[in-house]
Amino acid sequence: MEIIDQMQKLAVRNSNVKGAEFECAELSESTFKNVNMSRVLINDANLSDLEIFEAQLGGAYIHSIGLPPKGHPGYREDQGEQRPLRFEHCELTGSTITSCNLKNLQINQCNIEGLTINGIDIDALIKRYQSEPEQTNQSPKKQSPSLTPLLNRTGAIFIPVRDIGKARDWYCGILGIPAVSAEIMNGHLCPLPMEGGGIILDTMPMWGGKEPGGPPTFQTPAFMFLTNDLAASYAFMKEQGAEIVTEIENDHWFAFRDPDGNLLMVCR
């Protein structure tokens, strides 16, 4: 059925409109209640002030949200900045937020167990911060020349690789990380979602990555992977085809090379 006349109000009830298409439609102030909208596609739409509540969004893929960027047909010079969004009472367990602008984002009264940002365990970081001795009530101490603006902890570790896609798949395989959760960014780097400091694979275009041989690799172990079962880890790395450089030494560690030749270590 094709409706051509403009209508003040359209009411559709107890209807099956599976496969329907709405194009160039004015749907402001519409209400969708008790509806099955699985596999619905909303594209190139203005959803300002949209409210979705008491909805199941399991498996939903929400991306490219925001005002049209410069160069987009819908871009306007006077569009300003997007107004903030609000997420309340949402079940986001196991969800992934990648390549998003989270400037001034506030997270309040949420369960953040297992939450990581660039591989950093935020829950553990907050607990460590809260466990540090309270300094506010102490008398100010004279600053020492040795004070530094650097923090006494490290962030993610960069590993130089030649093929970012192959490296992503290999590292995800040995670490048990779904490859789909490790997004390749800007064509040359890939943060791996891990506990602790995290790892970022990078073809290092600024540091030799554009040369025929690729960036220089680790010729000495720069860090260690941890394990609770050293023998099983040794056998596993052999099964993965890694170049085993040492046997298990002192019942504590062994070394291997990744496909790019980086010398790495596993310790218990």
Side-chain angles (χ1 to χ4, degrees):
M1 177 178 66
E2 182 179 4
I3 301 176
I4 300 177
D5 293 338
Q6 295 185 0
M7 306 179 68
Q8 292 299 319
K9 184 176 182 180
L10 171 66
V12 180
R13 298 186 178 91
N14 303 321
S15 301
N16 183 350
V17 291
K18 181 179 179 180
E21 295 184 8
F22 295 87
E23 183 176 350
C24 301
E26 172 57 66
L27 297 176
S28 60
E29 301 181 11
S30 297
T31 300
F32 295 88
K33 183 178 180 181
N34 192 23
V35 295
N36 180 356
M37 302 184 72
S38 60
R39 295 184 296 278
V40 167
L41 173 63
I42 301 176
N43 175 252
D44 194 18
N46 182 351
L47 300 177
S48 300
D49 300 312
L50 171 71
E51 180 179 0
I52 301 176
F53 70 102
E54 296 181 358
Q56 298 180 27
L57 294 174
Y61 180 31
I62 302 173
H63 60 107
S64 304
I65 302 300
L67 294 172
K70 196 167 186 177
H72 188 279
Y75 174 80
R76 289 172 33 190
E77 291 289 346
D78 61 346
Q79 66 184 7
E81 295 185 355
Q82 175 176 277
R83 289 176 292 160
L85 283 69
R86 291 185 298 167
F87 295 86
E88 297 178 359
H89 308 296
C90 296
E91 175 58 65
L92 300 177
T93 301
S95 301
T96 301
I97 301 175
T98 307
S99 302
C100 294
N101 183 352
L102 302 180
K103 180 180 179 181
N104 296 329
L105 173 70
Q106 296 184 33
I107 301 178
N108 299 312
Q109 300 177 349
C110 294
N111 181 354
I112 60 171
E113 180 180 358
L115 171 66
T116 63
I117 299 178
N118 292 338
I120 299 174
D121 188 327
I122 302 303
D123 188 31
L125 185 65
I126 292 176
K127 289 178 179 178
R128 179 179 175 183
Y129 170 78
Q130 292 175 337
S131 67
E132 292 179 352
E134 181 63 45
Q135 301 291 331
T136 56
N137 295 327
Q138 297 183 7
S139 300
K141 297 181 179 180
K142 184 177 180 180
Q143 289 190 350
S144 167
S146 63
L147 290 180
T148 169
L150 300 181
L151 301 177
N152 63 343
R153 61 177 181 268
T154 58
I157 299 166
F158 283 85
I159 297 181
V161 298
R162 292 174 176 82
D163 187 311
I164 193 64
K166 290 182 179 179
R168 185 267 306 272
D169 293 345
W170 190 83
Y171 274 92
C172 285
I174 68 168
L175 295 173
I177 300 172
V180 294
S181 68
E183 182 179 357
I184 295 174
M185 303 172 62
N186 301 323
H188 70 90
L189 56 84
C190 179
L192 301 180
M194 300 174 59
E195 297 180 5
I199 286 175
I200 298 178
L201 307 175
D202 196 346
T203 59
M204 304 285 182
M206 292 184 61
W207 315 106
K210 296 182 179 180
E211 301 299 325
T217 55
F218 295 154
Q219 297 306 306
T220 57
F223 67 97
M224 66 180 74
F225 289 106
L226 300 178
T227 181
N228 292 323
D229 191 331
L230 197 60
S233 297
Y234 183 85
F236 175 74
M237 294 310 300
K238 273 191 171 182
E239 294 174 357
Q240 299 303 307
E243 178 188 348
I244 305 299
V245 177
T246 72
E247 299 297 321
I248 295 178
E249 302 291 338
N250 302 318
D251 195 30
H252 187 67
W253 62 274
F254 69 90
F256 68 94
R257 292 188 187 276
D258 72 1
D260 287 287
N262 288 295
L263 186 58
L264 305 169
M265 181 180 288
V266 176
C267 296
R268 69 175 180 88

